[in-house]
Amino acid sequence: MSAPLASLSGYRRIVIKIGSALLVDHGAGLKKQWLDAVCDDIAALRTNGVEVLVVSSGAIALGRTVLSLAPGALKLEESQAAAAVGQIALARHWSESLSRSSIVAGQILLTLGDTEERRRYLNARATINQLLKLGAVPIINENDTVATTEIRYGDNDRLAARVATMTGADLLILLSDIDGLYTAPPHLDPEAKLLPVIAEITPEIEAMAGGAASIFSRGGMRTKIDAGKIATSAGCAMIITSGKPLNPLKGIDEGAAHSWFAPSATPVTARKTWIAGQLQPAGTLTVDAGAERALHAGKSLLPAGVREVSGQFHRGDTISVVGLEGREIARGLAGYDADEARRIAGHKSIEIEELLGYAGRAAMIHRDDLVMTEATGKKTEKKDEVHA
């Protein structure tokens, strides 16, 4: 098991999830002092070279305050209206607080389908990565203006975990109203002890958060453990800590109580096994011997090595890669629709813009979205021509 890093500045990319109760005082509006302090923490991390993404709740809570809606449960259309107003206000507050450190904020509103449907997943990932490349801090939330009970996450813990895995983050921080995972609910059991390090999310760990049949299984710690399973299986560590004090991220480095969940020791294998085994290929790419050797060497598949395109698929669909003998050697997520793939197959990447009329992606399948399904028994010579 890997050990927690001594400082948050040792991580490369961090996703921070913030609940609405931390950010909005119901009836009184935004907690500006708290938000400014968190933004100071974010600025300090960025100064140390850490990329930061924020998954921020609070749109509905802020919107109902702006609209002076009565306390109590809201109807669906009232929640959606509150979200519409609150999202504007929430984005403005984040932008203003981050701008104090000359940081630009970018708003991303996601629905469940944006992370579960491959084409939309790839588009969302590309947008977020571009924001990070340009030096902005993405402020992400579920799009509650259109989400319904049937098509929503329902909690931002799991949304944050999906964002962390989507963007290849190496740490997810869940700022909560409790400072970590305890052996039992501390408000019910005075003997409950904080677990500072969780090597693996076992059934015993899940039971501490409230099992499926438990009264604690709705929201709360249970959704945080669900988020931990998503994040750690993809190689992303997770921290649960209290977000109530000012500067809660700085507090982690200064020894504030928290629980650290270790990432999986084999994250790439786990993620790519999911690609290979759980999705049915929507089409097939036949590649030449040079491309096959290059794929085994860990390269992306470029159009030059593709000899034939079969099936009707769209960008983001899972497709099969076969050698000239017809046996499958890999599966991956298509970088192009089938019709586009047929037009650029066998051509060099520099010809894509001329063939398609726009500057497309260099790879037919990017190596991060490709898993080998057949091991090679031959060594690749250094002088092999690389088609992928």
Side-chain angles (χ1 to χ4, degrees):
M1 181 193 75
S2 58
L5 298 183
S7 169
L8 295 183
S9 62
Y11 290 94
R12 176 184 56 84
R13 180 175 289 181
I14 299 177
V15 174
I16 303 162
K17 181 265 177 179
I18 297 171
S20 60
L22 298 175
L23 194 57
V24 181
D25 186 351
H26 294 278
L30 184 92
K31 299 178 182 178
K32 187 176 187 306
Q33 183 184 15
W34 186 89
L35 177 60
D36 285 346
V38 168
C39 288
D40 289 341
D41 287 352
I42 292 172
L45 287 171
R46 282 170 49 91
T47 298
N48 289 319
V50 182
E51 294 180 326
V52 178
L53 303 88
V54 176
V55 175
S56 174
S57 302
I60 294 177
L62 192 57
R64 70 183 298 162
T65 299
V66 174
L67 293 171
S68 300
L69 295 176
L74 297 177
K75 298 177 182 178
L76 175 61
E77 57 270 23
E78 290 175 330
S79 294
Q80 293 174 328
V85 172
Q87 283 168 357
I88 293 176
L90 185 64
R92 175 171 56 83
H93 286 304
W94 273 106
S95 180
E96 290 175 351
S97 289
L98 286 170
S99 68
R100 294 162 49 251
S101 301
S102 300
I103 298 173
V104 175
Q107 185 186 49
I108 302 285
L109 297 177
L110 298 174
T111 63
L112 182 64
D114 291 324
T115 57
E116 300 306 292
E117 295 179 20
R118 283 304 179 181
R119 295 182 72 191
R120 292 156 66 180
Y121 164 92
L122 291 176
N123 286 330
R125 184 178 71 177
T127 301
I128 292 171
N129 284 336
Q130 186 63 30
L131 281 171
L132 293 171
K133 183 179 179 181
L134 293 172
V137 170
I139 307 298
I140 302 162
N141 194 5
E142 184 165 13
N143 191 351
D144 289 312
T145 63
V146 296
T148 63
T149 303
E150 294 79 14
I151 55 168
R152 64 174 305 175
Y153 276 96
D155 68 88
N156 271 0
D157 293 323
R158 284 176 290 189
L159 173 60
R162 290 293 190 191
V163 169
T165 59
M166 175 195 296
T167 59
D170 46 1
L171 177 64
L172 168 63
I173 299 176
L174 302 182
L175 296 181
S176 177
D177 58 356
I178 191 170
D179 51 13
L181 176 66
Y182 284 76
T183 53
H187 64 288
L188 298 177
D189 185 352
E191 300 298 321
K193 295 181 179 179
L194 177 71
L195 299 177
V197 176
I198 294 88
E200 185 180 6
I201 299 177
T202 62
E204 290 75 20
I205 293 296
E206 293 189 64
M208 292 176 191
S214 169
I215 61 172
F216 302 110
S217 60
R218 276 186 171 270
M221 189 58 65
R222 178 67 201 187
T223 64
K224 291 171 176 52
I225 297 303
D226 288 343
K229 292 168 69 175
I230 294 169
T232 57
S233 65
C236 178
M238 186 178 81
I239 286 175
I240 299 174
T241 192
S242 174
K244 292 180 178 179
L246 296 178
N247 303 103
L249 304 178
K250 180 181 178 182
I252 294 173
D253 281 342
E254 294 180 344
H258 63 273
S259 293
W260 182 84
F261 294 74
S264 168
T266 57
V268 173
T269 300
R271 187 182 75 86
K272 292 192 173 183
T273 296
W274 173 75
I275 294 175
Q278 296 193 14
L279 299 177
Q280 289 296 320
T284 302
L285 301 181
T286 301
V287 300
D288 61 24
E292 183 175 345
R293 290 192 295 269
L295 291 179
H296 280 298
K299 305 293 184 180
S300 296
L301 177 63
L302 300 189
V306 177
R307 290 293 167 260
E308 185 179 346
V309 178
S310 303
Q312 290 298 327
F313 53 85
H314 297 286
R315 179 183 166 222
D317 287 345
T318 300
I319 54 178
S320 177
V321 180
V322 303
L324 295 175
E325 298 83 5
R327 71 183 187 285
E328 182 180 85
I329 58 175
R331 288 188 187 181
L333 306 182
Y336 287 93
D337 290 350
D339 291 342
E340 295 173 323
R342 289 186 178 91
R343 290 161 63 184
I344 64 175
H347 293 274
K348 295 180 179 178
S349 296
I350 59 174
E351 301 177 73
I352 291 176
E353 184 170 6
E354 180 180 352
L355 292 166
L356 298 183
Y358 68 92
R361 296 161 179 78
M364 195 82 88
I365 302 177
H366 192 276
R367 63 183 179 183
D368 291 344
D369 298 323
L370 185 141
V371 55
M372 302 304 297
T373 56
E374 179 192 68
T376 179
K378 300 178 181 179
K379 294 183 178 180
T380 303
E381 297 181 6
K382 293 182 179 180
K383 294 184 180 180
D384 281 343
E385 181 183 0
V386 177
H387 293 283

